[in-house]
Amino acid sequence: MATKKYALHGSARSSSAVSYITSHDKIASPVDTKYFLDNQFVDSKTTEWIDLHDPATNNLVTRVPQSTEEELKAAVDSAAKAFPSWKATSLLARQQVMFRFVALIRENWDRLAASITLEQGKTFADAKGDVLRGLQVAEVCYCFGWVGL
């Protein structure tokens, strides 16, 4: 795993420990990305993977599964199974989910920005702006009641 430092951030907080990659150092053993199904991360059965490289170094960051037809069907079935209970959830309860989602974005702002930097080659400041735009969309959703759609 790459060393954990604020090289991407340009921050003076280098003594702070973080649990995510914050440099462009080569990752010794990149981990395959799992997909999320029925509230758990699942290993793909695919034989076809998409390599994701750090644009700054061309180092391999991860491999993303090109999901199988069965995995795609399972994802659609999972969403269909979850929809009736979400549909029956009150607007106030849905807003609480969105409040928590917004709080998680705020709590993980630097982590999200570091991931964008690593995967897209953006500067850390630009990546933080991307996180801000996503946060604004999430806030608009709960402010205007779009979670009820």
Side-chain angles (χ1 to χ4, degrees), residues 12-94:
R13 300 179 297 164
S14 60
S15 63
S16 299
V18 295
S19 62
Y20 52 91
I21 296 169
T22 61
S23 77
H24 290 285
D25 294 346
K26 185 172 184 172
I27 301 169
S29 299
V31 177
D32 290 341
T33 299
K34 297 181 179 195
Y35 68 97
F36 196 70
L37 180 69
D38 293 329
N39 289 323
Q40 58 187 323
F41 289 99
V42 180
D43 290 317
S44 177
K45 305 273 191 264
T46 191
T47 58
E48 297 180 45
W49 296 83
I50 301 165
D51 289 346
L52 186 125
H53 294 271
D54 177 347
T57 62
N58 205 33
N59 291 332
L60 182 65
V61 174
T62 187
R63 294 185 325 149
V64 179
Q66 191 158 337
S67 298
T68 66
E69 195 165 322
E70 293 80 22
E71 290 168 344
L72 291 172
K73 184 180 181 325
V76 170
D77 291 346
S78 177
K81 185 174 74 178
F83 180 71
S85 66
W86 181 254
K87 183 179 178 184
T89 303
S90 72
L91 181 57
L92 290 176
R94 291 182 196 193

Side-chain angles (χ1 to χ4, degrees), residues 101-112:
F101 178 58
V102 165
L104 286 169
I105 293 171
R106 288 183 186 283
E107 289 169 22
N108 292 283
W109 199 313
D110 283 357
R111 181 185 193 128
L112 293 166

